[in-house]
Amino acid sequence: MHSVLVLGGTAEARELAAALDDEPAIRVVSTLAGRVVKPRLPAGEVRIGGFGGPDGLATYLQDQQIGAVIDATHPFAARMSASAQIACRRAGVPLLRVERPPFARTAGDDWRRVATLEEAARLIPATGRRVFLTTGRQGLAAFAAVDDAFFLVRCVDPPQPPLPRDHELLLSRGPFTLEQELQLIDRHRLDVLVTKDSGGEHTQAKIDAARTRKLPVIVVARPPRSATPAVASVGEALAWLRRHGAG
Ligand code: NAP
């Protein structure tokens, strides 16, 4: 029995776990950070919570006789990826990263690229005064001091304060359709979108909606990462696993 560890929290990780769980000769264990109150659970075994850094993960890999690790975490989950790199090297376990391509800029897009959430906050209100803030629950404190704008804050679970003074919270989990995104923009008279460069089909609709309504988009760049062998799709990850004796 070949054991595969999938570092998860994304649609790709769930897709991968479902495909591996169908293979009788594979034991798949997916791990989640435990941030979301009611997470969408992947198929197969699930482990919830951090490992206590690279040492803890290396010990887990050895104890559980893990034969390969797929890092399918979100493009902004850089600490988990760094920890996996160190732990896998130490434990001698092959590691592959699955990372969806960033959003593609197309004709009609009006994007301002920034490196951090703080930089995004500094562009408001010069870029817009009714902000569609879709960067997730973490890091919203960066926007808390922006007093002269309204924020529609969309996330899955309630965020911790501080939040901007003038805000409305929309607790909702995607994917969303273009029609839904357009309705939100129109209903709240939003005039700027703030997003991480998460990429992927599941979050593309807000980018398309912003283009349709001619809204500027403040795009927060992905955090830098050190080099790990990486693929862009679940299919390529399954092929890699087959080459490493699984799948
Ligand atoms: P992070 O900053 O890279 O991780 C912080 C710590 O949380 C890690 O050092 C690790 O703790 C633990 N952790 C993170 N992902 C884990 C996983 N899949 N399994 C077990 N432990 C994990 O990560 P984050 O940005 O907070 O994201 C947390 C989770 O949410 C990830 O699974 C990610 O895929 C998902 N997610 C993140 C975003 C985002 O925008 N950041 C968006 C959608 C989904 P130890 O050091 O103790 O092992």
Side-chain angles (χ1 to χ4, degrees):
M1 176 76 75
H2 194 91
S3 295
V4 175
L5 183 69
V6 178
L7 303 172
T10 58
E12 290 84 352
R14 285 190 296 276
E15 219 182 293
L16 192 55
L20 293 174
D21 193 47
D22 280 344
E23 303 276 345
I26 293 183
R27 168 188 174 227
V28 57
V29 184
S30 298
T31 78
L32 302 175
R35 303 250 199 284
V36 176
V37 178
K38 283 189 190 158
R40 284 184 178 139
L41 291 178
E45 284 178 48
V46 180
R47 181 192 180 283
I48 297 187
F51 297 92
D55 290 346
L57 178 53
T59 304
Y60 177 87
L61 297 176
Q62 279 155 351
D63 288 353
Q64 296 289 319
Q65 300 187 332
I66 301 293
V69 176
I70 305 287
D71 172 11
T73 55
H74 189 267
F76 281 72
R79 274 201 292 156
M80 186 67 250
S81 296
S83 179
Q85 255 194 333
I86 298 168
C88 287
R89 197 182 318 124
R90 207 172 282 167
V93 176
L95 168 70
L96 181 74
R97 168 128 184 95
V98 182
E99 186 161 292
R100 59 181 93 140
F103 289 127
R105 189 178 192 155
T106 59
D109 281 327
D110 175 11
W111 285 10
R112 325 285 153 94
R113 286 188 188 275
V114 295
T116 61
L117 293 173
E118 289 72 19
E119 210 184 314
R122 282 197 292 276
L123 286 187
I124 304 163
T127 314
R129 285 178 180 266
R130 297 192 61 85
V131 184
F132 190 10
L133 187 54
T134 65
T135 52
R137 189 167 54 100
Q138 297 182 69
L140 293 178
F143 299 90
V146 183
D147 272 340
D148 32 13
F150 162 81
F151 289 80
L152 180 68
V153 179
R154 182 169 70 191
C155 43
V156 176
D157 284 321
Q160 295 292 321
L163 293 174
R165 183 185 48 81
D166 187 9
H167 78 268
E168 186 176 325
L169 203 54
L170 178 59
L171 298 181
S172 185
R173 189 190 328 236
F176 306 100
T177 64
L178 175 62
E179 198 49 46
Q180 287 169 327
E181 301 294 44
L182 289 172
Q183 276 173 12
L184 271 185
I185 290 172
D186 294 345
R187 190 180 322 135
H188 295 273
R189 294 175 290 110
L190 303 170
D191 60 9
V192 59
L193 168 68
V194 183
T195 178
K196 289 175 172 173
D197 195 358
S198 305
E201 288 165 21
H202 295 272
T203 49
Q204 177 67 38
K206 61 185 171 185
I207 301 285
D208 296 339
R211 184 188 316 111
T212 305
R213 290 291 183 262
K214 299 187 172 28
L215 261 52
V217 184
I218 301 176
V219 182
V220 183
R222 295 178 174 193
R225 291 169 179 274
S226 47
T228 306
V231 295
S233 69
V234 169
E236 290 166 282
L238 290 169
W240 180 90
L241 279 169
R242 276 193 285 276
R243 289 199 297 280
H244 284 81

